[in-house]
Amino acid sequence: MAQKIRILVAKPGLDAHDRGVLVLCRAFRDAGMEVIYSGLLPTPEQVASIAIDEDVDAIALSLHNGAHLTAFPEVKKHLENKGVNDIAIIGGGIIPEEDKKELEKNGITGNFGPGTSMDTIINHIKKVTKKF
Amino acid sequence: MLETENYWKNKINQLTKIKEENSKSNENIKRWENEVLDPWNKKNANNNNDFSTTSKIDVKTSYSPSDLQGNIDYSMPGEFPYTRGPYPNMYRGKKWTMRMFSGFGTPEDTNNRLKYLIKNGQTGLSIAFDMPTLYGYDADNDRSKGEVGKCGCNISSLEDMEVLFKEIPLNKVSTSMTINAPASILTAMYASVALKNNISLNELRGTVQTDILKEYIAQKEWAYPPKDHMRIVRDMMEYCTKEMPKWNYVSISGYHIREAGSNAAQELAFTLANGFTYLELGQKAGLKVEEFAPRLSFFFNCTMNFFEEIAKFRAARRIWATVLKEKYGVKKGSSLALRFHTQTSGASLTWQQPMNNIVRTAIEALAGVLGGTQSLHTNSYDEAWALPTEQAVKVALRTQQIIAEETGVAQSVDPLGGSYYLEHLTNELEEKAYRYFEKIDELGGVISAIEKGYLQKEIAETAYRSQLDIEKEKEVIVGVNKYAEIEEDKIEILKVDDEAQKIQINRLKVLKRNRDSKKVNDALENLRKTYENNDENCMYDTIKAVQAYATLQEIVDVGRQVFGEWKEPQIF
């Protein structure tokens, strides 16, 4: 019996385009994950703290405001500052091609753009958390 | 005598009764189905998909007069209930305003883009602000890191506003500003720029969005709790009615409600419900509805379900006029006519095969025009990727110009009026809206429905269902779940770097050093007292604070201290 994936879904920063994350929360739950949604407007530091408190396997970050290159690595930095290295970070939103490479280098994977199917995202999460 | 008792229920009963009667007396249709349609379907290919609109209105094979019996709208354009248009001659007199929404980077960057658009034939300005501005944080705040100038123009103080409108004659243009939570402050800044240039406030034409209700429902860019924000809206209504008579101080917006995932009926109903709420707010403040109703304008989305969208605009006009007349007792005709701006749907644009977006936008724009919009923004094909390039914006503007100048669709008013199908959809959407109004009233009104999370959940539910339909390919998106390609077309996109942030932070540093800090502190202290006293109008002290060069965030922070911050009820 597979272990359940615990995932935090968050938009780290001043970005309220929450249609996508709300859809994903539902999709992740329907796929059998335990979903924690941060609510709107947490800072990257708050996202990291919630992730640690909730002991999640993965964080799904979404931004539509162009701040992904700043905010996503910030979340990672705050996790590392607290000595946490075992939480997978998955990105998504309006992310130009060249930025994806930059994010990958920072250990943020996925970086899914608009139109990505929910299945693709769910399979990716299963892969990076090594929970099937 | 006003019909307020069970108003919605009576409306719903009236409409359903007509439909029941019609279903009994449609002999000609039944005969056609038996003798012509059914035999044909037995012999030929017939798709068994369920045919329906986004609002789940069933779509029949064909429509006839019997679908409309007892509910035919014989009105003409420019007369009650304005279903066919707010003006008698519509585009024959004046074409819609081509109003391209733009803004990025520093005020200088946006000022240049505005001048470029004016040079290319745009007839109205429309400013987009970045996220820090929308939330009321200055460029130098930690929360603004990485976001300054990214989604729109950054405005941190009156100084920025002066740069934004440099060399643009404010008494000659009409300006729309998409700003909500800090709308009172941006209005104060705009007015202050005008005054500094010796332009009197009663010459200023334009619109400030101010629609905070749809922020809680959909766009979610708020600062304070609903009741406190509504008090500021009230103050703006009073102030502008008196001092800025040509200024539309609230643009009641369905756009964001739709983009957040709702269907056409929800967009229509929630937006109009918000409209009634602002109307009651003004009434309670002692303003005469006849006087301020013409200042309330609307802003709708236009997306891909062509006929339903056109029907939505027609239904909106009919409902607004009918309810204002019957339930709120408005008599003057021009106060009953709903006028609106349209933007094509950003959510309908695809990241995949982006050039296809030009076609989507053209179809949506056409529906907006056939629906009788007063102004129109067409999205650019690259907007699923980034803010648009100049080239992409030009194609979007040209799309409108082609519709206006080449197709002839603007020659006759409401050219689709009388189509059995379109009239039927108009009636159906009207009924669905009345059902939502009844439900919202049962929950205690819009604000209470927001506090309970009802409206937000309704939208999230529709968004999720729609995504499932896309995944199951019940809903087709060309280039995404059908006709997809592995190699994607490459396009040039606009990059906004962090230079804007540096410039803005620096400008603030200089500003804070040079301004009269006692004057700033006094102005903010006065504003605090005004905020604390619900009976006072806060606009006058807001203008004084702005003119003392208090920053946007310094002003919003006073509000945050007095009113507190809004925490959304749990939606998921």
Side-chain angles (χ1 to χ4, degrees):
Chain A
M1 180 70 187
Q3 245 183 308
K4 270 197 169 184
I5 297 171
R6 270 176 79 74
I7 188 163
L8 170 65
V9 179
K11 294 176 76 68
L14 300 177
D15 182 16
H17 302 90
D18 64 355
R19 174 181 181 164
V21 289
L22 291 175
V23 166
L24 283 178
C25 283
R26 291 275 296 266
F28 293 164
R29 191 173 62 193
D30 289 354
M33 300 183 202
E34 288 173 12
V35 183
I36 297 113
Y37 174 51
S38 69
L40 283 172
L41 312 178
T43 61
E45 189 173 7
Q46 286 166 337
V47 172
S49 300
I50 300 170
I52 293 167
D53 292 346
E54 293 282 350
D55 193 21
V56 297
D57 302 301
I59 309 175
L61 297 174
S62 156
L63 280 179
H64 290 65
N65 65 356
H68 46 269
L69 280 184
T70 316
F72 291 0
E74 285 260 315
V75 173
K76 177 128 181 115
K77 194 186 81 194
H78 285 295
L79 285 174
E80 283 168 356
N81 287 348
K82 292 170 198 210
V84 176
N85 293 304
D86 61 346
I87 298 179
I89 305 182
I90 299 118
I94 309 282
I95 301 173
E97 259 336 282
E98 60 265 36
D99 293 1
K100 288 183 185 172
K101 292 183 199 114
E102 189 65 33
L103 290 170
E104 287 272 350
K105 260 193 254 165
N106 277 286
I108 294 139
T109 66
N111 303 309
F112 300 109
T116 310
S117 80
M118 298 191 288
D119 276 348
T120 307
I121 300 171
I122 290 164
N123 287 333
H124 178 81
I125 293 167
K126 287 180 180 168
K127 206 174 90 195
V128 294
T129 55
K130 300 189 181 67
K131 288 188 176 178
F132 291 89
Chain B
M1 174 78 179
L2 296 183
E3 305 165 38
T4 48
E5 192 96 346
N6 292 324
Y7 182 73
W8 309 127
K9 198 175 275 321
N10 295 339
K11 281 278 168 211
I12 296 163
N13 290 343
Q14 203 182 322
L15 291 169
T16 42
K17 209 167 147 199
I18 291 169
K19 272 203 291 191
E20 273 167 29
E21 290 299 316
N22 283 353
S23 66
K24 280 184 229 152
S25 60
N26 56 357
E27 288 311 314
N28 192 34
I29 294 299
K30 281 181 194 147
R31 180 200 54 76
W32 173 75
E33 282 175 353
N34 292 335
E35 292 174 14
V36 183
L37 179 66
D38 292 345
W40 174 272
N41 283 347
K42 270 177 207 142
K43 271 188 267 165
N44 297 283
N46 185 44
N47 196 332
N48 281 326
N49 281 351
D50 43 327
F51 291 94
S52 62
T53 68
T54 70
S55 311
K56 301 291 169 220
I57 297 169
D58 288 335
V59 177
K60 296 199 297 189
T61 309
S62 190
Y63 289 83
S64 75
S66 65
D67 292 295
L68 306 175
Q69 282 172 58
N71 195 9
I72 299 177
D73 188 339
Y74 287 112
S75 69
M76 290 296 283
E79 69 178 17
F80 184 82
Y82 302 93
T83 313
R84 308 196 60 191
Y87 309 117
N89 66 347
M90 292 294 283
Y91 307 136
R92 292 169 73 105
K94 183 178 161 287
K95 292 262 160 46
W96 64 91
T97 305
M98 298 178 189
R99 199 188 284 281
M100 304 298 282
F101 182 44
S102 56
F104 64 96
T106 62
E108 282 88 352
D109 295 330
T110 304
N111 178 263
N112 286 334
R113 178 65 71 92
L114 294 178
K115 287 180 190 161
Y116 172 85
L117 287 165
I118 291 171
K119 203 179 85 196
N120 274 284
Q122 163 156 308
T123 47
L125 306 179
S126 177
I127 321 287
F129 299 102
D130 66 359
M131 301 308 272
T133 309
L134 294 170
Y135 280 107
Y137 290 102
D138 287 342
D140 59 0
N141 187 273
D142 214 31
R143 296 220 56 162
S144 307
K145 222 158 98 185
E147 306 198 18
V148 175
K150 287 282 165 72
C151 283
C153 176
N154 180 263
I155 296 290
S156 296
S157 78
L158 173 59
E159 191 183 357
D160 292 332
M161 201 72 146
E162 290 163 0
V163 176
L164 176 59
F165 291 106
K166 203 171 164 194
E167 292 158 10
I168 297 173
L170 296 189
N171 51 348
K172 300 224 168 71
V173 294
S174 87
T175 305
S176 167
M177 296 195 286
T178 299
I179 191 83
N180 293 280
S184 60
I185 303 163
L186 275 279
T187 297
M189 286 180 181
Y190 192 82
S192 300
V193 174
L195 291 172
K196 217 171 161 180
N197 288 297
N198 295 317
I199 293 165
S200 107
L201 296 187
N202 59 26
E203 285 181 84
L204 296 181
R205 283 184 306 124
T207 305
V208 63
Q209 200 164 72
T210 319
D211 177 11
I212 199 69
L213 292 173
K214 67 93 176 51
E215 293 298 329
Y216 301 111
I217 296 171
Q219 186 164 245
K220 313 203 172 172
E221 286 152 9
W222 53 62
Y224 325 129
K227 290 194 173 92
D228 303 297
H229 262 309
M230 286 298 273
R231 173 261 167 115
I232 296 175
V233 177
R234 177 204 69 185
D235 292 355
M236 284 181 72
M237 291 174 101
E238 285 175 349
Y239 176 85
C240 296
T241 303
K242 218 157 98 194
E243 312 282 350
M244 298 167 76
K246 292 180 196 161
W247 191 249
N248 298 319
Y249 44 73
V250 56
S251 165
I252 306 155
S253 308
Y255 188 80
H256 320 82
I257 292 175
R258 191 61 173 278
E259 291 288 293
S262 67
N263 59 37
Q266 290 169 326
E267 179 194 354
L268 173 70
F270 298 172
T271 310
L272 291 178
N274 289 349
F276 303 140
T277 310
Y278 291 117
L279 200 82
E280 287 171 17
L281 183 74
Q283 265 184 327
K284 238 181 262 167
L287 298 170
K288 287 203 187 82
V289 182
E290 313 254 325
E291 271 169 35
F292 76 84
R295 295 268 71 80
L296 304 178
S297 64
F298 286 79
F299 170 22
F300 289 110
N301 198 305
C302 198
T303 184
M304 289 302 286
N305 203 295
F306 192 72
F307 288 105
E308 189 183 37
E309 291 301 280
I310 301 168
K312 177 185 76 185
F313 301 128
R314 305 174 87 248
R317 282 190 295 261
R318 185 194 291 165
I319 296 168
W320 184 248
T322 306
V323 175
L324 257 58
K325 186 177 181 182
E326 295 176 357
K327 191 164 183 275
Y328 294 96
V330 180
K331 290 191 186 77
K332 203 165 116 196
S334 59
S335 304
L336 296 169
L338 178 148
R339 297 158 301 118
F340 67 98
H341 171 69
T342 303
Q343 180 170 340
T344 57
S345 166
S348 73
L349 302 186
T350 63
W351 179 86
Q352 294 80 356
Q353 303 176 33
M355 298 313 261
N356 297 344
N357 292 330
I358 298 175
V359 180
R360 293 192 176 94
T361 297
I363 292 168
E364 293 167 352
L366 181 62
V369 169
L370 292 172
T373 192
Q374 276 57 67
S375 60
L376 180 61
H377 166 100
T378 31
N379 289 327
S380 302
Y381 61 82
D382 53 356
E383 290 193 67
W385 290 65
L387 293 191
T389 60
E390 265 183 16
Q391 167 66 24
V393 172
K394 198 195 278 182
V395 174
L397 177 59
R398 295 286 182 255
T399 303
Q400 295 198 38
Q401 290 162 339
I402 290 168
I403 292 172
E405 316 273 355
E406 295 185 18
T407 64
V409 297
Q411 292 185 3
S412 184
V413 180
D414 187 32
L416 294 178
S419 147
Y420 308 131
Y421 177 44
L422 187 74
E423 296 289 353
H424 169 77
L425 286 179
T426 308
N427 294 345
E428 286 292 303
L429 284 172
E430 183 185 13
E431 184 187 328
K432 280 183 183 285
Y434 283 123
R435 289 185 190 279
Y436 268 121
F437 298 151
E438 189 186 32
K439 174 77 190 168
I440 291 167
D441 264 11
E442 277 168 20
L443 291 169
V446 169
I447 292 176
S448 167
I450 287 167
E451 286 165 348
K452 293 183 170 99
Y454 165 75
L455 299 164
Q456 300 94 311
K457 281 180 197 158
E458 277 287 302
I459 296 170
E461 178 66 24
T462 307
Y464 185 59
R465 295 284 146 216
S466 160
Q467 187 61 35
L468 289 179
D469 284 349
I470 292 167
E471 308 256 322
K472 288 184 209 133
E473 291 168 35
K474 269 171 78 179
E475 201 176 306
V476 172
I477 301 176
V478 171
V480 176
N481 63 0
K482 205 170 182 178
Y483 317 112
E485 288 166 7
I486 295 168
E487 277 294 308
E488 284 299 336
D489 310 342
K490 288 259 181 314
I491 53 166
E492 286 282 318
I493 60 166
L494 180 83
K495 287 285 277 181
V496 181
D497 57 24
D498 288 330
E499 198 51 33
Q501 181 161 322
K502 280 188 212 142
I503 295 171
Q504 287 303 90
I505 290 175
N506 204 34
R507 203 197 318 264
L508 273 173
K509 206 184 276 173
V510 177
L511 174 85
K512 285 179 182 170
R513 201 188 305 140
N514 292 341
R515 65 186 183 176
D516 180 343
S517 58
K518 185 178 178 310
K519 213 170 142 193
V520 174
N521 292 338
D522 289 350
L524 290 173
E525 201 38 48
N526 287 337
L527 182 63
R528 177 191 310 278
K529 284 182 200 139
T530 314
Y531 274 165
E532 281 164 353
N533 183 355
N534 188 46
D535 295 333
E536 269 190 72
N537 189 306
C538 67
M539 277 308 289
Y540 299 92
D541 282 322
T542 305
I543 291 171
K544 280 183 200 149
V546 160
Q547 289 176 342
Y549 291 91
T551 67
L552 175 71
Q553 186 178 346
E554 286 168 339
I555 297 172
V556 177
D557 278 347
V558 171
R560 289 193 185 102
Q561 287 153 16
V562 175
F563 307 126
E565 288 183 62
W566 168 244
K567 261 282 171 221
E568 188 178 38
Q570 198 150 357
I571 306 300
F572 171 77

